[in-house]
Amino acid sequence: MATAGTESVRPRRRPWAAWRQWRKGRPFWGGLAAVVAGAEICALPLAPLKIMLEQGIAGIPSVLMGLVMILMGLTAWFAPQYRALAGILTVMIATAALVMSNLGGFLFGTIVGIIGGGLIFAWQPLEAAESPEVTGAASAAEVANTPEATGAPEATAAPEAADAAETGNRPHHHLPPQESP
């Protein structure tokens, strides 16, 4: 039995905060749309014969396209680094389902799949904000290396070279100014 003094004190994260952080770190809504569209396209060929009069071999590509769309939606969730591939494949399969699978799940699957694939492809991860400690440490290091801090004379370089050093580009060569008559 643990006493109050021996329990480890660990701050408990709120479940909704953890869910929100996970959801914002990936193309969640695009993946959800792809999963829903894939389920719609996949489920219609498996409907009872009263709804679908004759299925035949045409049901196999419909089920496969729906499963691939579901897989692309899950890929967007659990491997967001493959979002470009998942988005493009989702749009292509949703468009192909329009012709090959009961009008793409009676148009619902195709429209939702194209929107979901576009959301997956367009999603960009948020850049992590620098912590104040890192910013302050970098500023102190930059100040320590200035000519005033080291006592070294200031270098006189051409302005183009200074611009090139700051931007990482080669200096631009400009034409001399033309004289007006």
Side-chain angles (χ1 to χ4, degrees), residues 14-125:
R14 294 182 156 191
W16 288 111
W19 164 253
R20 190 176 302 116
Q21 182 180 3
W22 180 85
R23 186 184 46 143
K24 289 185 177 187
R26 58 205 75 248
F28 177 77
W29 296 110
L32 181 65
V35 168
V36 168
E40 172 72 17
I41 290 171
C42 189
L44 283 180
L46 302 176
L49 286 178
K50 293 177 184 176
I51 296 173
M52 303 305 295
L53 296 177
E54 184 177 327
Q55 189 59 49
I57 196 154
I60 295 172
S62 299
V63 172
L64 289 177
M65 285 189 290
L67 289 175
V68 170
M69 285 182 67
I70 291 170
L71 181 68
M72 291 299 107
L74 295 175
T75 299
W77 283 350
F78 298 110
Q81 64 269 21
Y82 297 115
R83 66 187 177 277
L85 176 67
I88 291 171
L89 285 177
T90 301
V91 170
M92 289 176 60
I93 291 171
T95 306
L98 183 64
V99 177
M100 298 178 69
S101 174
N102 303 316
L103 290 175
F106 298 128
L107 289 179
F108 177 78
T110 294
I111 292 171
V112 173
I114 289 172
I115 291 170
L119 288 172
I120 292 170
F121 185 77
W123 180 83
Q124 292 291 318

Side-chain angles (χ1 to χ4, degrees), residues 134-145:
V134 173
T135 306
S139 298
E142 290 172 358
V143 169
N145 290 330

